Amino acid sequence: MLIVDDEEIITDGLFEVFRKLNLDLDLYKAYSGYEALELLNRTRVDIVLSDIRMPGMGGLELMENIRRKWSHCKIIFLTGHHDFDYVYRAIQTPGVNYLLKSEGYDKIITAVSDAIEELENSLRLNNLIQQSRESLTTLETLAQGNYFRHLLQGARAADVMVEDFHKLNIPLDPSLPVLMVLGGLAPSFSNSLADRQEAALAVKILAETFLTEKTTSLGMIDRYGDLVWFIQSRPSSGLEIADDYARTVRFLEGEFELIQRACKESLQVSVAVTIGAEPCEWKWLSTAYDSIRRWQHLRAGDGAQMVQLAAMKASESSELARERASREKAEALAAHLEGGRRDEFLRIFDEVTTPLLDGRNTGSNFLKELYFMIALILLSYMNRWELHDKVGAVGLIQIDEHASWYESFEFLKRTAESLFAVRRTGERNRAAEVVEKVRLYIEQHLAEDLSLVRLASEFHFNPSYLSRLFKQECGRNLSDYIEEARIGKARELLKQDELKISEVGVRVGYDAAHSFTRFFKKMTGLTPLEQREALRAKKC
């Protein structure tokens, strides 16, 4: 939620009121329409609470900009008694409400709570699927998915693709570059392949209701059971193609957060999303796909509700092509190992090796084939992610190292379980590393913008994921940590008598002296001057 008012005391007051309510909202504030618009260009906003009359860009002009960028956004205007003309124009727009400033905080809190409920209801799956199901046929979806799985193994000639796209009713243009988005369902969702396929299809259908308004897109399920979207920007007048795609990437960051919320609310499915930061030519499609999968695999944390941007390099093509060739014949076990689905992997492993335990199909040729198939899957995974120093491979392809076939397969099973354990540890360690980098960045940039949006941009996450990741690792809110760091630095600087109070404020991020004074007193109970005098008294 974004709070906008040119009167600083009103903006700060509302910010503090909602901050204490724990409404599961990421809060932002702006002191003018222009400052609000700058933030809206950088991240998705679901609710805007704004003064309707402001100097420069007023509330109505801001509303028009919001409607163009985030059509789902709910707007609540705060008005005076003499703003009838403004209010009349505002209420003609769907999703807009208004309140008199004199009605008090309770009315404002109720209006915001109602807006949250409306947003949550709008994300319900049933209505969204009903809207889009009419435009889909099962055969067309299967044909398009099979075709794109083929494309991911190596693009075809452009003239052939034009004909193919037309025959398969694919809405994309093979002469224009394409953005790719990878969505991975949470490993713990279901042991059933049918359930995962059904859930993935539901997510695909749901996503199209969010994407069709501003982009041309097509989604498919890849061989690992993950979702891949191919997205093209709709040309905007006056924008270069690079700027148009950059605008589309920002749009996708916001829309996929909404898609994630809808999936969680209606399907109880968590989806980790990785967006290709730049459009790619069709001839580099397979390379871009492998690069995005690499980014998703090396994420920080468990990826739940994550939206991250992936930077891709064409120079990786030969290495990624070799990796792709080495995984060409990988089947269910490799897919589950790659996806981090431990229970599914072990279930299939037991199903495959059960004949060894009851004496069936125990011919040596069959046992060797089965053993080496699984061993090579594990070894390939260890090679790709350089895990030899964490999980020993000694004996993995040396059957004679084991006393019996039973012990051989038990060794493979233990190795697989170790790989899953290393993966979980790696996710936790990378989360800790990211949070430590965030803390160091904050300490080194206290005088700068440390808003959640700014930090998320710096570390390539969406704001809500970074906020959750920080709290998960540190046990406290990111905003609280920043305030404590600024207070600690301010106390240290106040010991230096040669610095003016205003100079101390600037060094901890407060350009306005009165804002610094108000912040310092709220946190410590003393004004900066009183703190300095207390420090002087201790010296005496």
Side-chain angles (χ1 to χ4, degrees):
M1 183 173 78
L2 172 62
I3 302 169
V4 190
D5 200 301
D6 59 303
E7 295 186 49
E8 189 175 318
I9 192 169
I10 293 177
T11 305
D12 292 346
L14 287 168
F15 186 90
E16 288 301 320
V17 166
F18 281 100
R19 184 181 175 188
K20 295 175 181 177
L21 291 178
N22 294 321
L23 289 178
D24 194 24
L25 286 172
D26 289 325
L27 294 174
Y28 307 99
K29 55 185 175 181
Y31 301 109
S32 70
Y34 294 112
E35 187 180 347
L37 186 58
E38 181 182 351
L39 188 140
L40 287 160
N41 285 332
R42 295 163 62 189
T43 190
R44 191 195 88 243
V45 174
D46 300 308
I47 302 171
V48 172
L49 180 60
S50 174
D51 188 4
I52 201 168
R53 297 186 70 175
M54 295 181 290
M57 180 183 292
L60 295 179
E61 186 179 352
L62 179 62
M63 177 183 71
E64 295 301 323
N65 280 286
I66 293 170
R67 281 286 167 262
R68 286 194 292 269
K69 296 179 183 301
W70 308 111
S71 57
H72 71 280
C73 185
K74 303 296 181 184
I75 302 172
I76 304 170
F77 281 127
L78 300 178
T79 70
H81 288 285
H82 305 296
D83 292 335
F84 177 78
D85 290 340
Y86 289 92
V87 170
Y88 181 77
R89 289 173 58 192
I91 61 176
Q92 306 306 307
T93 305
V96 175
N97 195 1
Y98 76 94
L99 297 168
L100 291 173
K101 289 185 177 181
S102 58
E103 291 187 274
Y105 286 141
D106 289 343
K107 287 279 189 180
I108 296 173
I109 293 169
T110 299
V112 170
S113 298
D114 290 344
I116 293 173
E117 185 175 357
E118 288 179 26
L119 285 167
E120 290 175 345
N121 289 337
S122 71
L123 296 176
R124 303 293 178 184
L125 177 66
N126 292 338
N127 291 335
L128 297 172
I129 288 183
Q130 187 62 35
Q131 294 170 22
S132 61
R133 194 179 292 277
E134 295 174 359
S135 66
L136 296 173
T137 67
T138 301
L139 289 177
E140 184 175 86
T141 299
L142 289 174
Q144 292 174 347
N146 288 333
Y147 180 77
F148 272 87
R149 279 187 286 274
H150 172 67
L151 280 186
L152 290 177
Q153 299 304 316
R156 308 185 69 187
D159 56 339
V160 177
M161 289 175 63
V162 172
E163 183 178 350
D164 290 344
F165 279 27
H166 177 72
K167 287 181 179 179
L168 293 172
N169 198 26
I170 293 170
L172 301 167
D173 186 342
S175 67
L176 295 176
V178 65
L179 290 163
M180 292 183 66
V181 178
L182 177 65
L185 274 61
S188 60
F189 171 68
S190 173
N191 289 336
S192 166
L193 177 62
D195 287 346
R196 291 185 60 82
Q197 292 285 318
E198 182 180 352
L201 182 60
V203 173
K204 171 189 176 301
I205 294 171
L206 182 150
E208 288 172 359
T209 66
F210 288 84
L211 301 175
T212 52
E213 181 180 352
K214 294 185 181 295
T215 67
T216 302
S217 66
L218 185 142
M220 50 83 71
I221 302 170
D222 70 8
R223 62 177 179 166
Y224 299 112
D226 293 329
L227 282 151
V228 182
W229 287 273
F230 305 88
I231 299 169
Q232 289 178 330
S233 173
R234 289 182 181 167
S236 299
S237 58
L239 284 179
E240 297 290 337
I241 188 168
D243 295 334
D244 209 24
Y245 274 92
R247 176 182 61 84
T248 301
V249 169
R250 291 195 296 270
F251 166 77
L252 293 177
E253 285 188 273
E255 289 304 290
F256 272 101
E257 285 189 350
L258 291 177
I259 291 167
Q260 287 175 326
R261 289 174 55 192
C263 292
K264 193 70 173 177
E265 179 72 21
S266 302
L267 292 172
Q268 290 75 53
V269 174
S270 182
V271 183
V273 174
T274 301
I275 302 171
E278 304 90 22
C280 71
E281 301 295 332
W282 290 96
K283 64 182 179 180
W284 298 114
L285 197 67
S286 58
T287 300
Y289 169 70
D290 285 338
S291 182
I292 289 174
R293 285 202 65 85
R294 181 180 292 272
W295 273 79
Q296 182 113 307
H297 180 89
L298 295 175
R299 63 183 177 247
D302 60 8
Q305 305 304 99
M306 174 194 74
V307 177
Q308 68 170 343
L309 292 181
M312 295 169 290
K313 300 177 182 178
S315 60
E316 296 174 333
S317 57
S318 60
E319 177 188 350
L320 293 174
R322 287 194 298 271
E323 290 182 0
R324 186 168 60 256
S326 70
R327 300 196 298 269
E328 188 67 29
K329 295 183 179 180
E331 297 178 325
L333 285 174
H336 291 317
L337 181 62
E338 182 76 20
R341 297 185 284 271
R342 174 184 178 276
D343 293 343
E344 292 94 326
F345 181 97
L346 295 178
R347 175 175 54 83
I348 293 177
F349 184 95
D350 288 339
E351 288 175 359
V352 171
T353 58
T354 294
L356 302 177
L357 304 179
D358 60 18
R360 290 181 291 136
N361 298 324
T362 55
S364 60
N365 288 336
F366 168 78
L367 293 174
K368 286 181 181 178
E369 179 184 351
L370 182 61
Y371 181 91
F372 282 120
M373 180 188 76
I374 300 174
L376 287 173
I377 287 172
L378 299 177
L379 184 60
S380 174
Y381 184 87
M382 293 167 69
N383 287 340
R384 286 199 305 281
W385 306 116
E386 299 179 355
L387 299 176
H388 290 276
D389 59 334
K390 298 180 176 64
V391 179
V394 177
L396 195 58
I397 58 173
Q398 298 173 350
I399 298 178
D400 294 340
E401 293 288 325
H402 310 290
S404 66
W405 283 113
Y406 178 85
E407 290 184 12
S408 298
F409 284 100
E410 282 297 301
F411 172 75
L412 292 181
K413 188 173 184 179
R414 290 195 303 272
T415 302
E417 289 179 321
S418 296
L419 289 173
F420 284 111
V422 166
R423 177 176 179 141
R424 289 193 298 271
T425 301
E427 290 173 351
R428 290 194 295 268
N429 289 343
R430 286 190 290 274
E433 288 174 7
V434 167
V435 168
E436 185 57 34
K437 289 179 181 178
V438 171
R439 294 170 65 170
L440 182 61
Y441 182 90
I442 289 169
E443 292 170 6
Q444 294 175 346
H445 297 81
L446 288 174
E448 301 174 19
D449 174 17
L450 291 178
S451 64
L452 184 56
V453 171
R454 174 71 185 87
L455 291 172
S457 175
E458 183 70 26
F459 292 93
H460 309 292
F461 294 107
N462 56 313
S464 57
Y465 185 75
L466 179 60
S467 177
R468 185 175 74 88
L469 188 67
F470 191 92
K471 187 170 184 178
Q472 178 180 297
E473 289 296 312
C474 297
R476 51 180 166 168
N477 292 328
L478 178 56
S479 58
D480 293 339
Y481 180 84
I482 294 170
E483 286 187 347
E484 291 168 9
R486 280 178 161 152
I487 283 296
K489 185 65 174 179
R491 281 175 165 158
E492 181 182 327
L493 293 173
L494 286 170
K495 296 176 182 178
Q496 303 176 28
D497 289 339
E498 67 275 12
L499 289 177
K500 297 178 181 178
I501 298 294
S502 59
E503 291 175 331
V504 173
V506 169
R507 292 195 185 187
V508 295
Y510 287 86
D511 293 332
H514 64 279
S515 297
F516 173 57
T517 298
R518 185 166 61 249
F519 160 72
F520 194 91
K521 186 168 184 178
K522 183 192 77 172
M523 296 294 292
T524 68
L526 300 172
T527 67
L529 182 59
E530 290 170 341
Q531 176 73 40
R532 173 167 279 177
E533 290 174 347
L535 292 170
R536 286 172 178 167
K538 283 185 178 180
K539 290 181 181 179
C540 297

